[in-house]
């Protein structure tokens, strides 16, 4: 979506507004505000000079946080990739969907962070039924139709493949 020299501006929103944006954006229902402008290298360099101290301070804090995260990865044994090691794939369970059911499908791999609905609950089309965590971001999995949840085929913390 972004091109060279595109600028991103953040703006404050309420908690409720954020939840609505998170629900609507993946469905293409949140209008992105785009303002055409001309990039000025002189203005950009002035900005960098004016904020040099705070930029330096931010980068130092950022690097310290990154270093702490790396140490944590190392302590947990997550910092080293070993090629050639066989990793067992989880058994692929075949799920039969009846003619009266429709499956909510994960559009990307991730772990189940939160299941929003329960079996027997009424849902509307595009209502979020669960939230995946992938690359430290939340992705909402919508209901494919209006109806009643017949069963839930995952649990919080499960790893989900794309299309599952």
């Amino acid at each position: 979506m972004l091109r060279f020299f595109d600028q991103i501006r953040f703006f404050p929103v309420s908690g409720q507004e954020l939840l609505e944006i998170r629900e609507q954006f993946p469905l293409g229902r949140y209008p992105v505000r785009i303002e055409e402008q001309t990039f000025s290298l002189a203005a950009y360099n002035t900005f960098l000079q004016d904020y040099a101290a705070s930029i330096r301070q931010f980068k130092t804090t950022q690097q310290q946080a990154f270093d702490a995260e790396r140490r944590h990865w190392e302590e947990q044994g997550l910092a080293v990739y070993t090629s050639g090691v066989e990793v067992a794939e989880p058994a692929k369970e075949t799920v039969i969907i009846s003619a009266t059911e429709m499956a909510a499908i994960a559009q990307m791999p991730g772990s189940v962070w939160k299941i929003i609905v329960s079996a027997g609950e009424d849902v509307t089309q595009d209502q979020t039924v669960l939230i995946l965590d992938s690359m430290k971001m939340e992705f909402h999995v919508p209901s494919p139709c209006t109806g009643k949840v017949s069963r839930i085929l995952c649990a919080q913390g499960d790893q989900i493949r794309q299309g599952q």
Side-chain angles (χ1 to χ4, degrees), residues 3-9 33-41 43-44:
R3 296 170 300 179
F4 289 117
F5 301 108
D6 279 355
Q7 298 177 35
I8 300 174
R9 291 203 178 133
R33 192 167 122 202
I34 299 173
E35 298 173 351
E36 293 291 330
Q37 293 183 341
T38 302
F39 179 76
S40 167
L41 183 58
Y44 177 68

